[in-house]
Amino acid sequence: MRTATHPAHRAVESLPLMRALMSADIDPSTYTDVLRRQWRIHAGWEQANADWLRAQAWSYRPRAPALRADLDWLQAGTPEGAPMPAPRVDDDASGWGMLYVVEGSALGGQVIARHLRRTRPELAGALRHFGAATPPGQEWPRFQALLERHLRDATALARALDGARALFAHFHHHLAGARA
């Protein structure tokens, strides 16, 4: 999955807004914009796929509440606009591909949180999403083991890759647009 989705992953990471997260010069306004967009993306995906997420062996921790709490800490008010309509899970394999994107992004969130704590300590109270979303301890290896069990054949892997690419494209589209 990692190799096959690498180009889509890099495309999202290379967006100006995402690169700004790793800048020592990120300002609270830009950070708030990132959080608002992330809230709209995650809230939409979580709403669209709530039934599927509840039915899985993986205990998914919703990201939207942490994003909402970060925005509250920043006194940023309610995110403008409704949650973004998101790709829907077509089958278990595509769902596991999408979940791979969300859970994997939490690993990158840890890097972002460490950077912001070091370079912008005044934002430390608004790092619930980036700093706490990563599955603790052995959760990432457990997630990978579940992923492998659900993607045992070439057809399932292809569907998972379709799901992952669709969610990466969704993130890219909504993070690349004009300021929210």
Side-chain angles (χ1 to χ4, degrees):
M1 290 279 297
R2 182 178 181 183
T3 301
T5 61
H6 183 73
H9 183 200
R10 297 302 294 166
V12 171
E13 282 185 337
S14 69
L15 291 169
L17 199 56
M18 296 306 292
R19 283 195 326 258
L21 285 173
M22 294 303 290
S23 167
D25 299 327
I26 188 168
D27 60 273
S29 175
T30 300
Y31 186 61
T32 298
D33 186 32
V34 170
L35 294 177
R36 284 182 175 144
R37 290 170 190 248
Q38 291 274 347
W39 179 85
R40 293 184 73 205
I41 293 166
H42 283 284
W45 185 75
E46 290 166 359
Q47 287 174 8
N49 297 294
D51 291 340
W52 184 84
L53 287 165
R54 277 191 295 274
Q56 299 314 305
W58 181 249
S59 182
Y60 178 73
R61 288 186 326 269
R63 302 321 195 247
L67 286 156
R68 179 75 242 156
D70 288 342
L71 288 165
D72 287 345
W73 189 88
L74 291 166
Q75 299 177 341
T78 304
E80 294 175 20
M84 292 290 179
R88 289 185 174 272
V89 170
D90 293 329
D91 54 41
D92 279 345
S94 70
W96 281 94
M98 290 181 197
L99 198 52
Y100 170 83
V101 172
V102 174
E103 295 296 353
S105 72
L107 297 173
Q110 287 292 301
V111 174
I112 292 166
R114 280 192 300 273
H115 168 75
L116 291 173
R117 280 188 194 102
R118 188 178 69 254
T119 62
R120 300 303 302 237
E122 70 275 16
L123 297 176
L127 292 173
R128 286 170 197 82
H129 171 65
F130 289 117
T134 300
Q138 295 299 310
E139 291 302 298
W140 179 248
R142 189 172 79 78
F143 174 77
Q144 289 180 306
L146 280 170
L147 185 69
E148 288 176 17
R149 273 188 274 180
H150 284 86
L151 308 179
R152 291 183 184 245
D153 60 52
T155 301
L157 180 57
R159 295 291 302 141
L161 289 171
D162 288 344
R165 288 180 184 126
L167 197 55
F168 272 124
H170 182 65
F171 271 86
H172 190 279
H173 175 77
H174 295 297
L175 291 169
R179 192 171 184 104

